[in-house]
Amino acid sequence: MPPILKELVCGLTTPRTLPGNSTSNRYLPTVLLYDDAGLDYFDRITYLPEYYLTDCEIEILRTHIEAIVAGIPSNTDVVELGCGSLRKTELLLDALNRERTGVTYYAIDVMPRPLHESMAKLAPRFANISFCALCGTYDEVLPRLRKSARPKIVLWLGSSIGNLHTPDAVEFFTKISQNVMTANDAILIGMDKQKPTDVIMHAYHDSLGITAKFELNILPHINQLVADYVVQQSGSNSKDAVNNLLDMENFRYVGVYDEKIGRHDAFLEACEDVVVRWPCGIAAQVKDICGSDEDVTIKRGDRLYVESGYKYSDSAAEVLAQATGLTFSATWISSRDYYMLNMFRKPQAAMTHVPLPLPVSFNKWSVPTERSSRLANTPLTIKAPEQFPTIPTIDEWQNVWKVWDLLTLQIITRDKLLVRPIDLRHPFIFYLGHIPAFADIHMAAAETAPLSEPAIFAQWFERGIDPNMEDTSICHSHSEVPDKWPSVEEITVYRDNVRRRIAAWIDSYAALKGNVPADAARHVWMAFEHEAMHIETLLYMVLQMDPEDIRSPINCTFAPNRFALPDRCWVSYAGYPAVVLGLPSDNEVALATATLPPGHVFGWDNESPSTNIAVKPFRIQTQPITNGEYFTFLKAVQSGNTKIKRSIYDLVPRSWIALECDQHPTRAANTAVLATNYGVRTVVGTPSIFSTEAALWPVIVSQVQATAYASWKGKRLPTESEWTHAARTYHLAYALSITASESNYSSAVPLDMYLDELLSAQNTTASVHTCQPYDLFVPSDANVGFAHWHPVPVPALQPNAITDTDSLPDATFIGSTWEWTSTQFYPFDGFQPSD
C-alpha cells in the first residue's frame, strides 16, 4: 500500500491530539488537499478579499523588493518550495532579471500540470534567468541540489510554514539547512502574524464558501485514490464496484481559532453517523497496518482534522532560527502589521543551545525550558532543577572550536594577527596560542601527564598581559614574550594536537561511565569555559580595529529605523532576605580523590563562596536602554541643561564610531560637539544609530556612562543581588503565568509575591527555584550563543503593557549585551584563591 494510503488508514483508525489541546480527533493527510481541483480552489482563495495573506505578501515584495534583492548576489540558485501559480514570485524574478545575472530559478511542486503551465508563462519574460521545473516531494527533489556550490536562496512563501506543527517545522528547516544550504545561503519565509480573531476567522470562512469547498474537496480525492488502488490490486478496469470511502455530502467544514496558541485548525465535521467500510481488496492490508479491518464509525458531530494554520508572534522568527541553527537576518512587515517576510541565513559557526522543549507556536514564553515540565494547558507544575552534564560534550567543544576558528582565522585576517588593537595588550597571535596552551595545561593536570609538544608554548602562551588600569606602568606577571612569535601554521598544528587530546579524554570519560575524578572534571570545565569566555573578550578587541579591516562572518541586512523607541514599564518586587549569589566553595584537596556527583556545577574561584544578600523592596525597568535613547541623553548633556559634569568625550560610548569623523569629540578638540551620525561597531558592519535598526539596539557603555545616564533620569543602577532576584523571578513568573489557567497578576502586587501565589498550590515558594546558580527559565529568543554577531532591537512592548495593570509586561533581562549593576567587583567574604 502506498505511504499516503497507509497514513490515511492510520488517521481514520488512530485519533491523535493536536499540540496544546486535550481533545483527540481522527485526521486526514493534509497533502491530499492539493489535487488539481484543490489547487484551483486554493488559487481562487488567494484572490478573495477576506484572504489577506496573499495581498500582504505581494505588498511586502513590491515595497521592499530592493532590500530583498540586495541580499541575493548574481549567480545564485533561487529554489522555491511549493511554487503554485508563481503570482508572487514573479515580482522577485522581475527584479532579479533586471539587477542580477546568472540566476537559476528552481520551482518545486508536487503537481506537474500547474507547475509546467506557470513555468511556461514566466520563462519567456525573463531572459537573464534560467528556469528548471522539479516535480515531486521535497524529499525527492531537494537532494538534487545538495552538490551545487553556487549561492542559494530558498523561498517558502504563503505562510506555508504555518501548516507544520512546531517540531515538524524545526525538523524540516534543520533538514533544509543541513542538506541544501551552505554558509551564508538564505531562506526567505512568509509568516502570518497573530492578529484579532475576527480577521483570521473571516480569512478562513469567506462569504463565497470557496474555503469550505477547498477543504471538502479532500474527500473525493481520497475516494479517487482508494478506488484507483483497489482496481490496481484486483486487476480490473472498472471502478464502479468500489464504494466511496467518505461521501462529501455527509460532512461540513468547521474552522476553529485558538487565540492563546495562535493557531487556526480546519476540520470536517460529520453531519450524521458515518460508517467507513474498507473495500475487500485492501481489507487485509488495513488489518496489517492497524490490527483490524473492522468498519470505522464516525459519529455525528465528530470531527476529522485536516490542517492547521499557525499565526506567529513578533518573537517567532528568532525562536525558529535558534531552534534550527540558522541566523534570523532580516524582516519585512506589511503595512497593517498582519504579515511578515523573514530572511534567515546559515552561519559559518554558532554555539548551539541546549535542546529545549519547543513552544507550541514559536512563542518565546509559551512553555518553559526543559528544566521544568511542559506546561501548555496542563496543571501548573515544575520539576526539581535539572542535573547538568558532568563534563562538556564533544559536540559542545566542537561548536566552541568552530566559533573560535571563525573569529581568529577569518574575521581577523592573517595579515592582522600581529596587530595590537589595545596598546597595553598582546597582539592577536598571542591569543591564537593562548587558548590551546591554557587548555593543555589543564588537560595535563586532569590526566596527570606531560604537556603537549612543543612544551615551550605553555611557557610563552600561558598568561597574557593584564595591565593595572589605574597605573598602566604597572603590569601583573605574565608569560615570557618570545623574540619572535611562532608562525600561524606552528600554532594551529599545536592547537589541533591539544584538541585531539581533549577528544580522547572525553572518549575515555565515556568509557568510565561517569566515574571520573572530580578534580579532572574541574580542569576540563576550566579549559572549556576559558575558551568560550575568550571568544567574547577577543571580540571586544576586534571591535577596536578599523571596520574596513574586519572580515564579516555572515551577510547582514539591517532594517531601516522605522519604529518608535520602546515604551517603558516598571515591575516592583518585595525583595527577599537572602538572595543567593555565587557558588559553594569546592574543596580542591577533596576533589582530587572524589568522584564527581551528577549535576555538580563548577565555578571560578571568584564566584565562591556562595553569599546571601538581603534585598529590600525595589522597582526595576523592564527594557534595556537603546542607542537612540542614549543619544538623546548626550544631546541633553551637550545643551548644558543637565547636572552631569562629565565631558561629551567621556560619555560617547567606545562601541560607537563617528560616521562623520570630522566632528567626533576628542580631548584635543571641542569636547562639547557630537558627531552628526554614529554607527555601532560590529563585525558585520557599522549600522547608523539614526537610519537603521541599531537605534533600537541596547547601548553598550561603560559603568561610568551607565551611571551617568541613570543619574540624568533620576534613577540608579540596580545592585547585583537586585538584578539577579529580578531576572530569575521574572523569567519564572512569566513562563508560569502564560500557562496558568488563570492569571491573577496585578501591578499593585510585587512580582515575587505573585510568583509565590502561583506556586502555593504546589506547597513550594519562589526561593526554592530562584536561589539557584542559574536561571530556571530563559526566553527562547534571547540573543545569546552567537545567535547574532550583533545586538538585536529591544522588542516593543505589547500594546496594553502600559495601560493594562492586570497584564505582566514583556521584559528583556538577558541577551545582546552584558548588564551593568552598581555592585563593585570585590571578593565575597571567605574568598580563597584557587591553587
Side-chain angles (χ1 to χ4, degrees):
M1 182 176 286
I4 191 63
L5 292 185
K6 288 182 180 178
E7 185 180 353
L8 173 65
V9 171
C10 291
L12 290 173
T13 57
T14 310
R16 68 180 180 186
T17 303
L18 293 176
N21 288 351
S22 57
T23 304
S24 295
N25 296 99
R26 296 182 176 90
Y27 63 95
L28 305 176
T30 303
V31 70
L32 295 182
L33 287 167
Y34 298 99
D35 63 349
D36 286 344
L39 288 169
D40 288 340
Y41 278 128
F42 187 74
D43 190 54
R44 292 170 62 188
I45 289 172
T46 63
Y47 288 91
L48 294 171
E50 299 96 332
Y51 193 77
Y52 59 85
L53 289 84
T54 303
D55 287 344
C56 287
E57 202 162 54
I58 289 174
E59 176 210 316
I60 293 172
L61 288 168
R62 284 176 174 163
T63 305
H64 302 288
I65 194 65
E66 291 185 6
I68 295 171
V69 169
I72 306 174
S74 293
N75 302 307
T76 290
D77 290 337
V78 179
V79 182
E80 183 164 15
L81 309 179
C83 60
S85 67
L86 299 176
R87 183 155 60 103
K88 294 166 290 188
T89 311
E90 66 179 312
L91 298 171
L92 178 61
L93 295 178
D94 182 62
L96 290 173
N97 188 63
R98 293 193 314 269
E99 306 292 336
R100 300 289 183 266
T101 59
V103 171
T104 298
Y105 172 71
Y106 293 90
I108 301 175
D109 215 310
V110 293
M111 302 303 294
R113 179 182 64 80
L115 173 62
H116 291 289
E117 286 179 355
S118 298
M119 294 284 278
K121 293 177 183 177
L122 287 182
R125 293 175 48 194
F126 304 121
N128 293 330
I129 297 176
S130 300
F131 286 79
C132 181
L134 299 175
C135 188
T137 65
Y138 301 144
D139 287 338
E140 293 169 343
V141 171
L142 288 175
R144 304 183 196 180
L145 303 173
R146 290 178 186 173
K147 296 182 180 179
S148 172
R150 286 160 51 95
K152 286 183 287 294
I153 179 170
V154 179
L155 309 178
W156 207 19
L157 306 178
S159 200
S160 297
I161 183 178
N163 297 136
L164 298 180
H165 299 300
T166 300
D168 300 325
V170 169
E171 180 182 2
F172 179 75
F173 280 103
T174 301
K175 187 184 299 183
I176 293 289
S177 174
Q178 293 176 348
N179 298 333
V180 179
M181 302 170 70
T182 57
N184 264 323
D185 283 350
I187 182 166
L188 185 67
I189 306 172
M191 298 178 74
D192 194 14
K193 296 189 69 175
Q194 295 177 1
K195 59 188 67 67
T197 299
D198 62 325
V199 176
I200 293 170
M201 291 301 286
H202 286 150
Y204 292 99
H205 300 78
D206 60 278
S207 58
L208 298 179
I210 306 300
T211 305
K213 293 177 181 178
F214 168 67
E215 301 289 349
L216 287 164
N217 179 71
I218 195 173
L219 300 180
H221 188 198
I222 288 171
N223 295 334
Q224 179 73 36
L225 289 176
V226 172
D228 288 346
Y229 184 66
V230 171
V231 169
Q232 175 189 331
Q233 293 293 293
S234 65
S236 169
N237 292 324
S238 174
K239 303 176 185 177
D240 296 338
V242 182
N243 295 322
N244 286 340
L245 202 67
L246 295 162
D247 284 321
M248 189 163 56
E249 294 75 14
N250 295 331
F251 293 87
R252 69 183 185 97
Y253 161 64
V254 174
V256 178
Y257 183 63
D258 188 319
E259 189 172 354
K260 187 173 183 179
I261 293 175
R263 185 183 68 217
H264 182 274
D265 297 318
F267 301 92
L268 298 183
E269 184 177 278
C271 302
E272 57 186 67
D273 289 354
V274 175
V275 178
V276 178
R277 294 184 172 87
W278 304 110
C280 295
I282 63 171
Q285 296 176 63
V286 170
K287 186 173 183 178
D288 288 341
I289 294 170
C290 60
S292 173
D293 60 359
E294 294 182 0
D295 296 344
V296 175
T297 300
I298 303 172
K299 294 187 175 296
R300 179 181 178 181
D302 285 355
R303 293 176 176 178
L304 302 178
Y305 167 76
V306 180
E307 65 171 339
S308 290
Y310 281 89
K311 313 302 169 187
Y312 298 103
S313 66
D314 290 331
S315 64
E318 186 64 55
V319 177
L320 172 63
Q322 297 202 31
T324 56
L326 297 170
T327 294
F328 177 32
S329 177
T331 187
W332 298 276
I333 301 173
S334 66
S335 59
R336 289 185 291 175
D337 199 29
Y338 279 6
Y339 196 91
M340 53 188 170
L341 273 183
N342 295 315
M343 183 176 285
F344 303 81
R345 290 194 181 273
K346 183 170 184 175
Q348 295 187 55
M351 292 182 181
T352 56
H353 300 280
V354 177
L356 303 177
L358 290 163
V360 174
S361 59
F362 292 117
N363 185 321
K364 66 175 179 177
W365 286 117
S366 64
V367 75
T369 72
E370 68 178 7
R371 295 172 195 153
S372 62
S373 60
R374 298 170 184 253
L375 296 182
N377 294 332
T378 62
L380 184 65
T381 58
I382 59 179
K383 297 190 301 188
E386 174 195 0
Q387 289 187 338
F388 287 88
T390 305
I391 61 165
T393 66
I394 190 62
D395 287 342
E396 290 169 327
W397 274 105
Q398 289 173 344
N399 284 332
V400 169
W401 292 338
K402 287 177 184 177
V403 175
W404 177 256
D405 292 347
L406 176 61
L407 175 59
T408 56
L409 298 175
Q410 293 188 52
I411 295 175
I412 305 170
T413 56
R414 179 168 292 208
D415 61 315
K416 296 295 184 293
L417 284 174
L418 292 177
V419 168
R420 301 165 66 116
I422 300 177
D423 291 338
L424 300 176
R425 296 190 179 275
H426 280 309
F428 286 126
I429 197 167
F430 167 81
Y431 300 95
L432 196 64
H434 173 58
I435 291 301
F438 185 94
D440 193 58
I441 290 169
H442 284 277
M443 293 309 300
E447 298 175 326
T448 317
L451 295 167
S452 299
E453 293 295 338
I456 189 64
F457 277 21
Q459 182 175 330
W460 288 342
F461 291 112
E462 178 182 6
R463 185 169 182 179
I465 297 175
D466 191 11
N468 185 319
M469 299 310 295
E470 299 297 326
D471 182 355
T472 56
S473 65
I474 302 174
C475 186
H476 298 288
S477 62
H478 57 82
S479 299
E480 169 191 352
V481 179
D483 295 332
K484 181 181 179 181
W485 293 107
S487 69
V488 173
E489 288 75 18
E490 291 173 306
I491 296 174
T492 52
V493 167
Y494 173 67
R495 174 205 69 188
D496 291 344
N497 287 337
V498 174
R499 289 179 178 178
R500 281 190 287 269
R501 180 177 196 169
I502 293 170
W505 189 92
I506 292 174
D507 286 342
S508 67
Y509 163 78
L512 292 172
K513 298 181 179 180
N515 294 319
V516 63
D519 188 57
R522 172 174 167 269
H523 283 290
V524 174
W525 267 114
M526 289 179 70
F528 179 80
E529 288 197 14
H530 177 261
E531 183 160 356
M533 289 189 295
H534 257 295
I535 292 173
E536 189 161 16
T537 56
L538 195 63
L539 267 174
Y540 296 153
M541 298 174 64
V542 170
L543 294 179
Q544 304 308 309
M545 296 172 63
D546 184 334
E548 297 296 323
D549 292 336
I550 300 172
R551 182 184 294 171
S552 174
I554 193 169
N555 295 335
C556 282
T557 303
F558 298 115
N561 179 22
R562 296 180 179 175
F563 307 99
L565 293 173
D567 292 318
R568 294 301 174 191
C569 273
W570 294 77
V571 175
S572 63
Y573 294 81
Y576 191 71
V579 173
V580 178
L581 299 180
L583 297 165
S585 299
D586 284 318
N587 185 317
E588 295 184 23
V589 175
L591 287 179
T593 57
T595 299
L596 186 66
H600 185 76
V601 178
F602 286 111
W604 298 89
D605 55 4
N606 55 32
E607 297 178 85
S608 299
S610 60
T611 302
N612 295 338
I613 306 291
V615 173
K616 297 179 180 180
F618 66 97
R619 296 171 70 241
I620 194 167
Q621 186 172 289
T622 61
Q623 305 283 50
I625 305 304
T626 65
N627 287 304
E629 290 170 303
Y630 192 81
F631 186 79
T632 300
F633 158 63
L634 293 179
K635 293 269 287 185
V637 173
Q638 179 177 258
S639 71
N641 295 326
T642 74
K643 296 180 180 180
I644 304 300
K645 302 302 182 183
R646 292 187 176 273
S647 70
I648 289 293
Y649 176 87
D650 290 330
L651 293 175
V652 171
R654 297 303 179 260
S655 60
W656 290 2
I657 182 171
L659 300 182
E660 284 79 19
C661 296
D662 58 318
Q663 295 187 52
H664 188 58
T666 64
R667 290 190 185 278
N670 183 357
T671 58
V673 178
L674 288 169
T676 57
N677 193 7
Y678 287 100
V680 179
R681 291 178 176 271
T682 79
V683 295
V684 291
T686 55
S688 166
I689 67 169
F690 302 121
S691 61
T692 77
E693 65 178 64
L696 297 179
W697 290 357
V699 65
I700 302 173
V701 294
S702 69
Q703 194 201 43
V704 168
Q705 293 163 345
T707 300
Y709 180 93
S711 174
W712 174 62
K713 283 291 189 179
K715 308 295 181 184
R716 63 174 176 84
L717 297 181
T719 65
E720 181 185 7
S721 52
E722 287 173 336
W723 187 91
T724 299
H725 183 65
R728 293 178 181 171
T729 301
Y730 175 87
H731 289 154
L732 181 57
Y734 206 116
L736 293 181
S737 67
I738 284 293
T739 56
S741 57
E742 294 184 7
S743 177
N744 298 316
Y745 172 77
S746 168
S747 59
V749 178
L751 186 60
D752 36 14
M753 294 178 64
Y754 166 69
L755 179 56
D756 278 337
E757 179 184 338
L758 283 176
L759 295 171
S760 61
Q762 301 178 52
N763 297 318
T764 185
T765 60
S767 61
V768 174
H769 307 283
T770 58
C771 291
Q772 303 289 341
Y774 45 78
D775 245 334
L776 275 177
F777 297 81
V778 293
S780 304
D781 69 341
N783 183 22
V784 296
F786 295 94
H788 297 271
W789 287 87
H790 57 79
V792 296
V794 174
L797 297 176
Q798 296 300 317
N800 64 347
I802 303 300
T803 59
D804 186 357
T805 58
D806 295 326
S807 176
L808 184 59
D810 204 355
T812 303
F813 279 105
I814 62 171
S816 286
T817 65
W818 285 103
E819 302 80 22
W820 277 116
T821 74
S822 61
T823 302
Q824 296 294 312
F825 183 55
Y826 289 122
F828 292 137
D829 291 341
F831 165 75
Q832 292 184 347
S834 171
D835 292 335

